[in-house]
Tab-separated table of all heavy atoms in Angstrom:
chain	number	residue	atom	x	y	z
A	189	PRO	N	-16.818	57.653	-138.962
A	189	PRO	CA	-15.449	57.366	-139.397
A	189	PRO	C	-14.755	58.634	-139.898
A	189	PRO	O	-15.431	59.570	-140.331
A	189	PRO	CB	-15.625	56.369	-140.548
A	189	PRO	CG	-17.072	56.210	-140.778
A	189	PRO	CD	-17.838	57.005	-139.791
A	206	GLY	N	-28.216	52.363	-137.113
A	206	GLY	CA	-28.109	51.008	-136.582
A	206	GLY	C	-29.069	50.864	-135.406
A	206	GLY	O	-29.639	51.844	-134.905
A	207	LEU	N	-29.214	49.640	-134.952
A	207	LEU	CA	-30.150	49.363	-133.864
A	207	LEU	C	-29.466	49.366	-132.502
A	207	LEU	O	-30.117	49.432	-131.460
A	207	LEU	CB	-30.791	47.982	-134.121
A	207	LEU	CG	-31.986	47.591	-133.276
A	207	LEU	CD1	-33.144	48.559	-133.489
A	207	LEU	CD2	-32.428	46.175	-133.601
A	243	LEU	N	-19.332	53.766	-126.125
A	243	LEU	CA	-19.009	53.961	-127.543
A	243	LEU	C	-19.290	52.699	-128.342
A	243	LEU	O	-18.807	51.622	-128.012
A	243	LEU	CB	-17.524	54.311	-127.683
A	243	LEU	CG	-17.083	55.623	-127.038
A	243	LEU	CD1	-15.563	55.668	-126.917
A	243	LEU	CD2	-17.574	56.807	-127.871
A	244	SER	N	-20.051	52.854	-129.412
A	244	SER	CA	-20.301	51.733	-130.312
A	244	SER	C	-19.374	51.897	-131.517
A	244	SER	O	-18.333	52.551	-131.398
A	244	SER	CB	-21.776	51.740	-130.732
A	244	SER	OG	-22.078	50.562	-131.425
A	246	MET	N	-18.462	50.418	-135.859
A	246	MET	CA	-18.201	49.248	-136.693
A	246	MET	C	-17.084	49.577	-137.671
A	246	MET	O	-16.855	50.740	-137.993
A	246	MET	CB	-19.467	48.832	-137.438
A	246	MET	CG	-20.195	49.946	-138.135
A	246	MET	SD	-21.707	49.430	-138.954
A	246	MET	CE	-22.853	49.215	-137.627
A	247	GLY	N	-16.383	48.552	-138.105
A	247	GLY	CA	-15.336	48.736	-139.098
A	247	GLY	C	-14.316	49.766	-138.662
A	247	GLY	O	-13.977	49.884	-137.475
A	249	SER	N	-14.468	52.803	-138.140
A	249	SER	CA	-14.833	53.894	-137.220
A	249	SER	C	-14.278	53.601	-135.818
A	249	SER	O	-14.318	54.462	-134.935
A	249	SER	CB	-16.344	54.127	-137.185
A	249	SER	OG	-17.005	53.105	-136.512
A	270	GLY	N	-18.002	48.816	-127.081
A	270	GLY	CA	-18.673	47.585	-127.492
A	270	GLY	C	-18.926	47.631	-128.981
A	270	GLY	O	-18.488	48.553	-129.671
A	271	GLY	N	-19.626	46.649	-129.480
A	271	GLY	CA	-19.896	46.581	-130.910
A	271	GLY	C	-18.905	45.649	-131.595
A	271	GLY	O	-17.985	45.115	-130.958
A	272	TYR	N	-19.092	45.470	-132.901
A	272	TYR	CA	-18.320	44.463	-133.630
A	272	TYR	C	-16.816	44.579	-133.497
A	272	TYR	O	-16.117	43.645	-133.161
A	272	TYR	CB	-18.700	44.490	-135.120
A	272	TYR	CG	-19.712	43.420	-135.419
A	272	TYR	CD1	-21.063	43.687	-135.302
A	272	TYR	CD2	-19.325	42.144	-135.748
A	272	TYR	CE1	-22.010	42.701	-135.529
A	272	TYR	CE2	-20.245	41.144	-135.976
A	272	TYR	CZ	-21.585	41.428	-135.871
A	272	TYR	OH	-22.489	40.448	-136.079
A	273	MET	N	-16.320	45.784	-133.778
A	273	MET	CA	-14.866	45.899	-133.883
A	273	MET	C	-14.198	45.734	-132.511
A	273	MET	O	-13.197	45.029	-132.391
A	273	MET	CB	-14.547	47.269	-134.494
A	273	MET	CG	-13.367	47.317	-135.355
A	273	MET	SD	-13.345	46.063	-136.644
A	273	MET	CE	-11.703	46.327	-137.218
A	289	VAL	N	-17.337	45.412	-123.759
A	289	VAL	CA	-18.375	44.390	-123.842
A	289	VAL	C	-18.157	43.624	-125.133
A	289	VAL	O	-18.174	44.207	-126.223
A	289	VAL	CB	-19.790	45.011	-123.791
A	289	VAL	CG1	-20.855	43.948	-124.041
A	289	VAL	CG2	-20.020	45.660	-122.435
A	291	GLY	N	-19.314	41.127	-127.863
A	291	GLY	CA	-20.512	40.492	-128.431
A	291	GLY	C	-21.796	41.088	-127.883
A	291	GLY	O	-21.875	42.284	-127.593
A	292	ASP	N	-22.784	40.219	-127.734
A	292	ASP	CA	-24.127	40.676	-127.359
A	292	ASP	C	-24.157	41.355	-125.996
A	292	ASP	O	-23.492	40.919	-125.059
A	292	ASP	CB	-25.082	39.475	-127.311
A	292	ASP	CG	-25.136	38.780	-128.658
A	292	ASP	OD1	-25.422	39.447	-129.658
A	292	ASP	OD2	-24.856	37.567	-128.695
A	293	ALA	N	-24.989	42.384	-125.897
A	293	ALA	CA	-25.014	43.171	-124.659
A	293	ALA	C	-26.227	42.855	-123.787
A	293	ALA	O	-26.329	43.364	-122.675
A	293	ALA	CB	-25.016	44.653	-125.010
A	294	GLU	N	-27.134	42.037	-124.293
A	294	GLU	CA	-28.404	41.836	-123.581
A	294	GLU	C	-28.203	41.426	-122.121
A	294	GLU	O	-28.902	41.917	-121.236
A	294	GLU	CB	-29.268	40.790	-124.305
A	294	GLU	CG	-30.112	41.358	-125.446
A	294	GLU	CD	-29.308	41.667	-126.699
A	294	GLU	OE1	-28.086	41.425	-126.719
A	294	GLU	OE2	-29.908	42.161	-127.676
A	345	ARG	N	-30.052	37.252	-135.457
A	345	ARG	CA	-28.683	37.726	-135.209
A	345	ARG	C	-27.717	36.549	-135.336
A	345	ARG	O	-28.051	35.441	-134.939
A	345	ARG	CB	-28.592	38.345	-133.820
A	345	ARG	CG	-27.389	39.255	-133.675
A	345	ARG	CD	-27.273	39.831	-132.282
A	345	ARG	NE	-28.333	40.752	-131.926
A	345	ARG	CZ	-28.524	41.205	-130.683
A	345	ARG	NH1	-27.729	40.828	-129.715
A	345	ARG	NH2	-29.507	42.038	-130.406
A	355	SER	N	-17.086	39.155	-140.391
A	355	SER	CA	-17.012	39.434	-138.956
A	355	SER	C	-18.134	38.729	-138.209
A	355	SER	O	-17.974	38.382	-137.037
A	355	SER	CB	-17.141	40.931	-138.712
A	355	SER	OG	-16.142	41.619	-139.386
A	356	VAL	N	-19.264	38.540	-138.867
A	356	VAL	CA	-20.397	37.907	-138.191
A	356	VAL	C	-20.041	36.452	-137.883
A	356	VAL	O	-20.248	35.971	-136.765
A	356	VAL	CB	-21.681	37.993	-139.055
A	356	VAL	CG1	-22.840	37.326	-138.332
A	356	VAL	CG2	-22.013	39.437	-139.391
A	390	LEU	N	-33.444	43.512	-140.114
A	390	LEU	CA	-32.063	43.062	-139.898
A	390	LEU	C	-32.038	41.566	-139.604
A	390	LEU	O	-32.687	41.090	-138.674
A	390	LEU	CB	-31.439	43.795	-138.708
A	390	LEU	CG	-31.307	45.305	-138.797
A	390	LEU	CD1	-30.690	45.848	-137.513
A	390	LEU	CD2	-30.470	45.717	-139.993
A	392	ASP	N	-29.053	38.342	-140.781
A	392	ASP	CA	-28.025	37.948	-141.733
A	392	ASP	C	-28.387	36.673	-142.470
A	392	ASP	O	-27.684	36.267	-143.386
A	392	ASP	CB	-26.670	37.810	-141.033
A	392	ASP	CG	-26.087	39.175	-140.758
A	392	ASP	OD1	-26.208	40.046	-141.634
A	392	ASP	OD2	-25.557	39.401	-139.662
A	514	TYR	N	-16.690	46.423	-151.909
A	514	TYR	CA	-15.670	46.670	-150.894
A	514	TYR	C	-14.423	45.938	-151.311
A	514	TYR	O	-14.506	44.898	-151.977
A	514	TYR	CB	-16.111	46.130	-149.522
A	514	TYR	CG	-17.465	46.646	-149.103
A	514	TYR	CD1	-18.604	45.899	-149.324
A	514	TYR	CD2	-17.591	47.911	-148.528
A	514	TYR	CE1	-19.855	46.391	-148.984
A	514	TYR	CE2	-18.832	48.406	-148.185
A	514	TYR	CZ	-19.973	47.645	-148.420
A	514	TYR	OH	-21.204	48.139	-148.086
A	543	ASN	N	-10.747	49.968	-144.157
A	543	ASN	CA	-12.043	50.597	-144.390
A	543	ASN	C	-12.758	50.061	-145.626
A	543	ASN	O	-13.808	50.555	-146.019
A	543	ASN	CB	-11.851	52.121	-144.502
A	543	ASN	CG	-10.786	52.464	-145.535
A	543	ASN	OD1	-10.637	51.763	-146.541
A	543	ASN	ND2	-10.040	53.526	-145.298
A	614	ASN	N	-22.667	54.184	-148.809
A	614	ASN	CA	-23.267	53.256	-147.849
A	614	ASN	C	-22.566	53.183	-146.511
A	614	ASN	O	-22.710	52.205	-145.800
A	614	ASN	CB	-23.356	51.832	-148.425
A	614	ASN	CG	-24.276	50.966	-147.579
A	614	ASN	OD1	-25.314	51.443	-147.159
A	614	ASN	ND2	-23.882	49.748	-147.313
A	615	ILE	N	-21.787	54.184	-146.180
A	615	ILE	CA	-21.280	54.105	-144.825
A	615	ILE	C	-22.112	54.998	-143.900
A	615	ILE	O	-21.790	55.181	-142.750
A	615	ILE	CB	-19.772	54.415	-144.714
A	615	ILE	CG1	-19.461	55.818	-145.151
A	615	ILE	CG2	-18.963	53.412	-145.478
A	615	ILE	CD1	-18.072	56.241	-144.723
A	616	PHE	N	-23.206	55.562	-144.455
A	616	PHE	CA	-24.058	56.388	-143.590
A	616	PHE	C	-25.452	55.826	-143.532
A	616	PHE	O	-25.977	55.388	-144.497
A	616	PHE	CB	-24.109	57.811	-144.114
A	616	PHE	CG	-22.740	58.318	-144.383
A	616	PHE	CD1	-22.286	58.457	-145.657
A	616	PHE	CD2	-21.896	58.573	-143.330
A	616	PHE	CE1	-21.000	58.885	-145.892
A	616	PHE	CE2	-20.602	58.995	-143.574
A	616	PHE	CZ	-20.164	59.155	-144.866
B	910	LIG	C1	-27.256	48.451	-140.253
B	910	LIG	C2	-25.779	48.268	-140.554
B	910	LIG	C3	-25.095	49.345	-141.082
B	910	LIG	C4	-25.771	50.656	-141.397
B	910	LIG	C5	-25.905	51.563	-140.164
B	910	LIG	C6	-24.617	51.775	-139.428
B	910	LIG	C7	-24.706	52.631	-138.212
B	910	LIG	N1	-24.409	53.879	-138.340
B	910	LIG	O1	-25.049	52.190	-137.131
B	910	LIG	C8	-24.844	51.177	-142.527
B	910	LIG	C9	-25.401	50.641	-143.814
B	910	LIG	C10	-24.713	52.659	-142.639
B	910	LIG	C11	-23.542	50.468	-142.180
B	910	LIG	C12	-22.305	50.936	-142.537
B	910	LIG	C13	-21.118	50.266	-142.266
B	910	LIG	N2	-21.016	49.015	-141.831
B	910	LIG	CO1	-22.501	48.011	-141.123
B	910	LIG	N3	-23.870	46.838	-140.596
B	910	LIG	C14	-25.121	47.035	-140.338
B	910	LIG	C15	-25.777	45.714	-139.933
B	910	LIG	C16	-26.501	45.148	-141.159
B	910	LIG	C17	-26.742	45.770	-138.757
B	910	LIG	C18	-26.202	46.534	-137.527
B	910	LIG	C19	-27.224	46.507	-136.436
B	910	LIG	O2	-27.926	47.474	-136.193
B	910	LIG	N4	-27.373	45.335	-135.765
B	910	LIG	C20	-28.305	45.122	-134.697
B	910	LIG	C21	-27.638	45.465	-133.351
B	910	LIG	C22	-28.609	45.295	-132.217
B	910	LIG	O3	-26.567	44.538	-133.191
B	910	LIG	P1	-25.059	45.046	-132.959
B	910	LIG	O4	-24.809	46.262	-133.716
B	910	LIG	O5	-24.167	43.903	-133.114
B	910	LIG	O6	-25.126	45.470	-131.412
B	910	LIG	C23	-25.166	44.523	-130.361
B	910	LIG	C24	-23.771	44.226	-129.799
B	910	LIG	O7	-22.759	44.296	-130.768
B	910	LIG	C25	-23.605	45.236	-128.712
B	910	LIG	N5	-23.046	46.553	-128.974
B	910	LIG	C26	-22.963	47.259	-130.093
B	910	LIG	N6	-22.414	48.461	-129.851
B	910	LIG	C27	-22.149	48.536	-128.550
B	910	LIG	C28	-21.607	49.552	-127.764
B	910	LIG	C29	-21.486	49.365	-126.399
B	910	LIG	C30	-20.936	50.450	-125.555
B	910	LIG	C31	-21.909	48.136	-125.818
B	910	LIG	C32	-21.819	47.942	-124.376
B	910	LIG	C33	-22.413	47.105	-126.615
B	910	LIG	C34	-22.544	47.318	-127.957
B	910	LIG	O8	-24.913	45.457	-128.240
B	910	LIG	C35	-25.903	45.198	-129.228
B	910	LIG	C36	-26.983	44.333	-128.569
B	910	LIG	O9	-26.470	43.081	-128.189
B	910	LIG	C37	-24.516	44.879	-139.554
B	910	LIG	C38	-24.651	43.373	-139.733
B	910	LIG	C39	-24.968	42.710	-138.426
B	910	LIG	N7	-25.036	41.426	-138.497
B	910	LIG	O10	-25.094	43.291	-137.371
B	910	LIG	C40	-23.422	45.480	-140.432
B	910	LIG	C41	-22.005	45.495	-139.895
B	910	LIG	C42	-22.052	45.836	-138.428
B	910	LIG	N8	-21.383	46.592	-140.636
B	910	LIG	C43	-20.144	46.404	-140.911
B	910	LIG	C44	-19.295	47.311	-141.618
B	910	LIG	C45	-17.907	46.809	-141.957
B	910	LIG	C46	-19.738	48.566	-141.992
B	910	LIG	C47	-18.917	49.630	-142.730
B	910	LIG	C48	-17.528	49.840	-142.173
B	910	LIG	C49	-18.916	49.255	-144.201
B	910	LIG	C50	-17.827	49.839	-145.020
B	910	LIG	N9	-16.813	49.064	-145.297
B	910	LIG	O11	-17.911	50.950	-145.383
B	910	LIG	C51	-19.778	50.883	-142.559
B	910	LIG	C52	-19.294	51.769	-141.394
B	910	LIG	C53	-20.379	52.666	-140.856
B	910	LIG	C54	-19.983	53.681	-139.869
B	910	LIG	N10	-20.585	54.851	-139.989
B	910	LIG	O12	-19.170	53.489	-139.001
B	910	LIG	C55	-19.687	45.057	-140.398
B	910	LIG	C56	-18.847	45.226	-139.124
B	910	LIG	C57	-17.555	44.525	-139.190
B	910	LIG	C58	-16.640	44.932	-138.082
B	910	LIG	N11	-15.648	44.118	-137.870
B	910	LIG	O13	-16.782	45.936	-137.442
B	910	LIG	C59	-21.045	44.291	-140.215
B	910	LIG	C60	-21.030	43.231	-139.124
B	910	LIG	C61	-21.403	43.661	-141.568
B	910	LIG	C62	-20.523	42.472	-141.914
B	910	LIG	N12	-21.096	41.321	-142.094
B	910	LIG	O14	-19.338	42.594	-142.062
B	910	LIG	N13	-23.784	49.347	-141.494
Side-chain angles (χ1 to χ4, degrees):
L207 191 61
L243 296 165
S244 189
M246 48 182 76
S249 72
Y272 262 89
M273 214 52 189
V289 173
D292 301 305
E294 275 75 1
R345 200 182 293 169
S355 302
V356 180
L390 299 179
D392 284 320
Y514 307 96
N543 53 33
N614 194 41
I615 62 166
F616 311 106

